[in-house]
Amino acid sequence: MKRSEPHLSRLERGRLLFSLVEAQQEEQDISGLRFENEELEGFEGERLEFRGCDFSGCRLAGNRLRQISFTDCLLEGCDLSNLDCSDGVTQRVIFRGCKAVGLDFCQGFFQNTLFEDCDLRYANLNQSVLKEAEFRRCNLTGATLDDCDARSFSLEECDLTGANLRRLPLGGKDLRSCRLDGVILVGEELQGATISVEQALELVRFLGVEVR
């Protein structure tokens, strides 16, 4: 799967809260800024758009940024726990080393997006579109990915323990590097997927089969 990288040029240092308030008041995008070790608390906004921005070590946990859009952005080492980004859009975006426990990105649209070394436990990606989306070495324990339109995505060395994968088409995916203990399925999601013998033995319990 070929994924496009973010287009980041020379960035100016920005102040996150000031930029968000100004964008709301002026109805304009936030572009070409670098946010470093910024902390946002108790903020609510909708339809905000970041273009060509770099977030490093920022704490956005618990805020409400519905229908947000990230284009050509890098978020590295950020705390996104319990952040509400429902109905949001990402395009050519990298999330790297982020803590995103309970992140709510339901009904999102992820295009050319990479989640790498992220803690996505209990994240909600329900009914999202995954188009050229990659998950590498992520903890997706208890995460919700049901009913996703998975046009093109990959999972590599991810922990999917107890994840809700109902109606997530996994055919053609190589899942041997992932942990699948206790995943929630309807029954046909894994048809055509490649799994290991050990994973197969774990998954037969879901089928109600007793192996002797």
Side-chain angles (χ1 to χ4, degrees), residues 135-164:
F135 297 85
R136 294 181 191 163
R137 298 182 300 277
C138 291
N139 188 346
L140 287 153
T141 297
T144 299
L145 293 94
D146 62 322
D147 287 309
C148 285
D149 180 353
R151 303 179 189 185
S152 177
F153 83 108
S154 64
L155 295 159
E156 181 182 334
E157 296 182 51
C158 291
D159 188 346
L160 293 160
T161 301
N164 184 349

Side-chain angles (χ1 to χ4, degrees), residues 116-182:
E116 186 173 59
D117 299 312
C118 291
D119 185 352
L120 290 160
R121 287 173 295 161
Y122 310 108
N124 182 12
L125 305 182
N126 169 259
Q127 296 183 338
S128 292
V129 175
L130 305 176
K131 188 177 181 182
E132 282 84 49
E134 298 181 52
F135 297 85
R136 294 181 191 163
R137 298 182 300 277
C138 291
N139 188 346
L140 287 153
T141 297
T144 299
L145 293 94
D146 62 322
D147 287 309
C148 285
D149 180 353
R151 303 179 189 185
S152 177
F153 83 108
S154 64
L155 295 159
E156 181 182 334
E157 296 182 51
C158 291
D159 188 346
L160 293 160
T161 301
N164 184 349
L165 308 181
R166 287 181 292 191
R167 292 172 293 277
L168 176 68
L170 296 167
K173 303 290 185 292
D174 187 341
L175 303 175
R176 288 175 294 179
S177 66
C178 297
R179 185 169 182 176
L180 303 175
D181 300 6

Side-chain angles (χ1 to χ4, degrees), residues 2-200:
K2 188 175 182 180
R3 177 183 50 80
S4 300
E5 294 290 319
H7 302 150
L8 291 170
S9 55
R10 203 168 191 176
L11 306 178
E12 297 180 4
R13 183 72 179 267
R15 291 178 294 163
L16 185 55
L17 180 58
F18 175 82
S19 298
L20 286 166
V21 172
E22 184 180 47
Q24 280 192 320
Q25 292 176 343
E26 303 296 330
E27 297 184 354
Q28 62 185 19
D29 300 344
I30 302 170
S31 61
L33 296 177
R34 174 177 172 79
F35 303 104
E36 189 171 354
N37 300 320
E38 296 270 338
E39 185 168 349
L40 190 66
E41 187 174 354
F43 186 85
E44 293 191 16
E46 290 188 358
R47 299 183 180 88
L48 294 162
E49 185 166 357
F50 289 95
R51 288 183 172 273
C53 292
D54 185 343
F55 299 79
S56 177
C58 294
R59 189 176 187 277
L60 309 179
N63 293 280
R64 197 171 180 178
L65 299 172
R66 291 183 173 177
Q67 296 180 311
I68 193 168
S69 176
F70 293 101
T71 303
D72 291 316
C73 291
L74 170 64
L75 294 90
E76 190 163 16
C78 295
D79 187 351
L80 313 176
S81 299
N82 298 312
L83 177 64
D84 184 355
C85 291
S86 50
D87 297 298
V89 175
T90 67
Q91 183 166 320
R92 293 186 301 277
V93 173
I94 295 176
F95 296 87
R96 179 175 289 135
C98 291
K99 180 182 179 183
V101 178
L103 171 69
D104 188 355
F105 232 121
C106 68
Q107 297 181 326
F109 186 92
F110 300 91
Q111 183 169 10
N112 291 306
T113 298
L114 169 65
F115 289 91
E116 186 173 59
D117 299 312
C118 291
D119 185 352
L120 290 160
R121 287 173 295 161
Y122 310 108
N124 182 12
L125 305 182
N126 169 259
Q127 296 183 338
S128 292
V129 175
L130 305 176
K131 188 177 181 182
E132 282 84 49
E134 298 181 52
F135 297 85
R136 294 181 191 163
R137 298 182 300 277
C138 291
N139 188 346
L140 287 153
T141 297
T144 299
L145 293 94
D146 62 322
D147 287 309
C148 285
D149 180 353
R151 303 179 189 185
S152 177
F153 83 108
S154 64
L155 295 159
E156 181 182 334
E157 296 182 51
C158 291
D159 188 346
L160 293 160
T161 301
N164 184 349
L165 308 181
R166 287 181 292 191
R167 292 172 293 277
L168 176 68
L170 296 167
K173 303 290 185 292
D174 187 341
L175 303 175
R176 288 175 294 179
S177 66
C178 297
R179 185 169 182 176
L180 303 175
D181 300 6
V183 292
I184 301 172
L185 306 167
V186 172
E188 297 182 356
E189 294 86 354
L190 290 170
Q191 187 173 349
T194 302
I195 60 175
S196 68
V197 173
E198 292 79 10
Q199 289 170 322

